[in-house]
C-alpha cells in the first residue's frame, strides 16, 4: 500500500488557501496525500526531487496549483507519466486567466488535465483524482456513487427551498 496516493503541489504558499479545498475533498474520500510548495521558476531542482520521490513512492496522481505564468503542472507532466491535474490560481491582475492559459495550452503528447480557476477547480481536481484512482479501487467507486447522490440531494433541497 502506498503511503500517499496523491501529491498536491503548489507554486507558492500564497496558493494554499485555494488548494486546501483539494486536501479537504481527498480527506473526505479517505485518499492519502501529501501537500507541499515547489516552484517551477524559483526552485526547479526541488520540483525535480519531489517528482523523483513521487515515482519512487508509487503515487497515482499529481494535483498542481499555480498562478501567473503557471508552468509547474506542465513541467511535472514533462518529467512524469503519472496523470497531472492542474488548477489555475487567481493570484495576479489577470485574475487567473494567465494561469488558465499557461496550464491548459500544453503541446501534443504532454497533457495536463486542467480544471476551472480557483476553488471550484481545486475541488474538482480532487474529485477527478479520486475518479482516476477508482479505476482500480471498487471501494472508491462506491464512495463516488455516494458523493454523486449527495449532490442530487443538495439540489433537491435547494429546489424545495426556492419553491417554498
Ligand atoms: C506563482 O506565482 C504561484 O503559484 C503564485 O500563484 C504566484 C505568486 O506567488 P508569490 O509571489 O505569492 O509567492 O508562481
Amino acid at each position: 500500500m502506498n503511503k500517499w496516493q496523491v501529491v498536491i503541489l503548489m507554486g507558492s504558499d500564497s496558493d494554499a488557501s485555494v488548494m486546501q479545498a483539494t486536501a479537504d475533498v481527498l480527506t473526505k474520500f479517505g485518499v492519502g496525500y501529501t501537500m507541499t510548495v515547489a516552484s517551477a521558476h524559483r526552485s526547479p531542482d526541488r520540483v525535480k526531487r519531489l517528482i523523483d520521490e513521487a515515482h519512487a513512492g508509487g503515487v497515482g496522481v499529481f494535483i498542481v496549483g499555480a498562478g501567473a505564468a503557471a508552468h509547474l503542472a506542465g513541467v511535472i507532466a514533462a518529467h512524469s507519466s503519472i496523470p497531472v491535474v492542474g488548477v489555475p490560481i487567481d493570484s495576479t491582475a489577470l485574475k487567473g486567466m494567465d494561469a488558465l492559459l499557461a496550464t491548459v495550452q500544453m503541446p501534443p503528447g504532454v497533457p495536463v488535465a486542467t480544471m476551472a480557476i480557483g476553488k471550484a477547480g481545486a475541488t474538482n481536481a480532487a474529485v477527478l483524482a479520486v475518479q482516476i484512482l477508482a479505476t482500480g479501487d471498487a471501494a472508491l467507486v462506491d464512495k463516488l456513487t455516494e458523493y454523486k447522490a449527495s449532490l442530487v440531494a443538495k439540489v433537491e433541497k435547494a429546489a424545495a427551498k426556492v419553491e417554498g
Side-chain angles (χ1 to χ4, degrees):
M1 187 65 184
N2 303 323
K3 201 160 128 201
W4 302 311
Q5 293 169 282
V6 175
V7 173
I8 305 171
L9 289 174
M10 61 198 87
S12 167
D13 61 345
S14 64
D15 302 325
S17 61
V18 173
M19 295 310 293
Q20 187 57 43
T22 299
D24 291 345
V25 173
L26 293 178
T27 299
K28 270 189 203 153
F29 278 94
V31 168
Y33 64 87
T34 181
M35 182 162 71
T36 189
V37 173
S39 167
H41 306 118
R42 294 166 173 159
S43 66
D45 292 344
R46 176 175 167 76
V47 172
K48 182 65 173 63
R49 182 168 56 73
L50 291 170
I51 294 166
D52 292 343
E53 284 173 13
H55 286 163
V59 161
V61 183
F62 285 106
I63 297 178
V64 184
H71 296 131
L72 184 57
V75 164
I76 293 171
H79 284 291
S80 184
S81 298
I82 295 170
V84 178
V85 182
V87 181
I89 308 274
D90 168 8
S91 57
T92 73
L94 298 185
K95 302 190 184 311
M97 280 305 293
D98 43 1
L100 173 64
L101 296 177
T103 306
V104 78
Q105 288 288 53
M106 290 297 290
V110 191
V112 169
T114 304
M115 304 292 104
I117 297 167
K119 273 197 179 165
T123 298
N124 278 347
V127 175
L128 181 58
V130 173
Q131 290 174 335
I132 292 167
L133 295 169
T135 58
D137 185 335
L140 279 184
V141 174
D142 290 344
K143 286 182 187 176
L144 283 164
T145 304
E146 274 173 37
Y147 176 71
K148 293 282 185 191
S150 78
L151 297 182
V152 172
K154 213 169 157 185
V155 173
E156 294 293 345
K157 202 173 159 192
K161 195 174 155 192
V162 168
E163 288 164 11

